[in-house]
Amino acid sequence: MLDAGETDEKLLEVNNIEVIYNHVILVLKGVSLSVPKGGITALLGGNGAGKTTTLKSISNLLRSERGEVTKGSITYHGERIQDLAPSDLVKRGVIQVMEGRHCFEHLTVEENLLTGAYTRSAGRGDIDADLDLVYSYFPRLKERRRSQAGYTSGGEQQMVAIGRALMSRPETILLDEPSMGLAPQLVEEIFNIVKSLNDNEGATFLLAEQNTNVALRFAHYGYILESGRVVMDGPAKELRENPDVKEFYLGMSDEGRKSFRDVRSYRRRKRWLS
Ligand SMILES: Nc1ncnc2c1ncn2[C@@H]1O[C@H](COP(=O)(O)OP(=O)(O)OP(=O)(O)O)[C@@H](O)[C@H]1O
Ligand SMILES: [Mg+2]
């Protein structure tokens, strides 16, 4: 048997897509990537590289931002998915967890989770079983199930966002910057949960991350985007060892640790200070 992340079945294929915002701003300039079933694939790159745009192209959330895929194709299980409504895509098993955690602040944690089941015609029994599954991965959410989501911590809100996506019983989760604004320990906790969802439930992940270090420790394969193009891709282990990746993205080189300010002009968010 193959380990998770090593299946050959190509689930999601992005072929040479170009994305334009507002009819004029060319943002993706021919991005191709392949997400195997049962794997964790990382999409890496600095601010404005095009990670979120790539995820939204897949989940068909670009239209609401006046963005459009003008070239190339996107297929899921070999079928073109570009013209599907986001909710139809959810029914096919693809869901996006948006950057910045988007919870319904005035609803409780549990009510937020329940909104994730809306595309399904499941009965209450199934839905309760799924809630229990989410709580088994996120015990903290169970403790806080009756709290108003707006008063929970950033880490808990990220858990709510992922938990809500799980309620649609997805096959593939597009996860945008799960580490954003979270302390290192929580980032670790969230990534460990992603890994166990991948190991135990067989969930496939495509995750966008600026935090190259943590993403490459948990992912099987990575793509590095710069200015709307894939500049490098490979198995996560190889990328971690690659001298350019070390220098430019992991902030290390043979001369020792480098600060990100010394590395090109990336202005990274102060992600540990929230
Ligand atoms: N709705 C929009 N209209 C016009 N330009 C946009 C829009 N959304 C994003 N862009 C531009 O597209 C480029 C890519 O943005 P995107 O959000 O995909 O990058 P990202 O890699 O997710 O960055 P970050 O790490 O900061 O989230 C940026 O130059 C951004 O300014
Ligand atoms: Mg982004």
Side-chain angles (χ1 to χ4, degrees), residues 21 25 27 46-53 65 99 177 210 269:
Y21 283 111
I25 310 164
V27 168
N47 280 138
K51 302 179 298 296
T52 297
T53 302
E65 300 210 19
E99 188 174 39
E177 301 257 5
Q210 284 199 23
R269 292 192 195 105

